[in-house]
Amino acid sequence: MGQVSANHILDRREVVKTLLADRNDVLVVTGLGSASYDVMAAGDHDNNYYLWAAMGSATMVGLGIAKAQPDKSVVVVTGDGEMLMGFGSLATIALQKPANLTIVVLDNGHFGETGMQVSHAGHGIALDQVAKTCGFGWTDEIRDIDGVHQLREQIGARNAGVKLATVKIKAENPPRVLPPRDGSYIKNRFRAALGHPPI
């Protein structure tokens, strides 16, 4: 199978900036690497929970936060490589059905952090269809900016259940915009934004 890069047309930074514009109190969990850089480039925020050295964990962290904060909208922004590492989490999340959780997979069809090798998604594995099969309430594959705007509207929706969108982006490596790397600082800043003391 060849790669499907011709179908990956959106600019990752534009996608994330559009998605998080006027986000209010939305809680954001980032997959490690490029997804974290994209969220940071869109603007640092106390409600951002950046993950470092936690490959495959973003969706499960998002699930935990969504269950602990049912009145808040929680968005996980991650890449196809990181999502593939946490593949089994989709089944667990589907069974838990947190209606306040939205997973956004920035899919460039490559493992961007290890040398841009073609990923399973680049060979045709459709992560949104996997989520749909698991039982997610709403899934989509997005290839244009109008779809990103529609995805943004879904973040606050509760009637659709748990949601996942695969957003097809260009296979490129824009300059890194590094978020804070101190895990204790990130954790305590996030807790403070939710009204909790540091630990």
Side-chain angles (χ1 to χ4, degrees):
M1 283 187 183
Q3 56 185 308
V4 291
S5 59
N7 295 321
H8 297 69
I9 57 172
L10 291 170
D11 177 273
R12 63 184 311 135
R13 294 279 162 87
E14 181 184 6
V15 166
V16 176
K17 182 178 179 181
T18 300
L19 191 65
L20 298 181
D22 303 319
R23 60 185 274 186
N24 298 319
D25 63 349
V26 171
L27 307 178
V28 178
V29 177
T30 68
L32 74 164
S34 296
S36 288
Y37 313 149
D38 296 336
V39 170
M40 181 68 179
D44 192 20
H45 198 288
D46 288 352
N47 286 348
N48 290 351
Y49 198 89
Y50 305 103
L51 292 181
W52 291 96
M55 185 72 167
S57 300
T59 51
M60 291 305 284
V61 171
L63 171 62
I65 293 172
K67 296 286 282 183
Q69 298 289 325
D71 295 329
K72 301 276 190 183
S73 295
V74 179
V75 177
V76 174
V77 180
T78 192
D80 56 300
E82 206 266 355
M83 187 66 257
L84 286 161
M85 185 73 128
F87 207 60
S89 68
L90 295 177
T92 299
I93 292 166
L95 291 175
Q96 291 292 312
K97 297 180 174 60
N100 59 327
L101 178 62
T102 304
I103 299 169
V104 179
V105 181
L106 302 174
D107 176 11
N108 63 9
H110 292 78
F111 294 110
E113 299 305 306
T114 60
M116 294 300 280
Q117 303 90 346
V118 178
S119 74
H120 301 58
H123 284 294
I125 298 298
L127 293 166
D128 55 294
Q129 292 301 307
V130 173
K132 182 177 181 179
T133 299
C134 286
F136 274 56
W138 180 91
T139 63
D140 199 7
E141 181 182 89
I142 295 171
R143 296 179 179 272
D144 57 45
I145 202 67
D146 287 342
V148 177
H149 285 286
Q150 292 169 13
L151 169 59
R152 187 176 163 202
E153 293 175 5
Q154 286 291 334
I155 290 172
R158 296 292 187 270
N159 59 338
V162 62
K163 303 163 283 289
L164 181 143
T166 299
V167 183
K168 297 294 187 177
I169 58 170
K170 298 174 187 173
E172 58 187 352
N173 193 8
R176 294 183 176 187
V177 182
L178 296 176
R181 298 187 69 179
D182 184 326
S184 293
Y185 168 76
I186 294 168
K187 173 193 67 180
N188 286 322
R189 183 179 76 163
F190 190 80
R191 287 177 56 81
L194 294 172
H196 300 299
I199 55 173

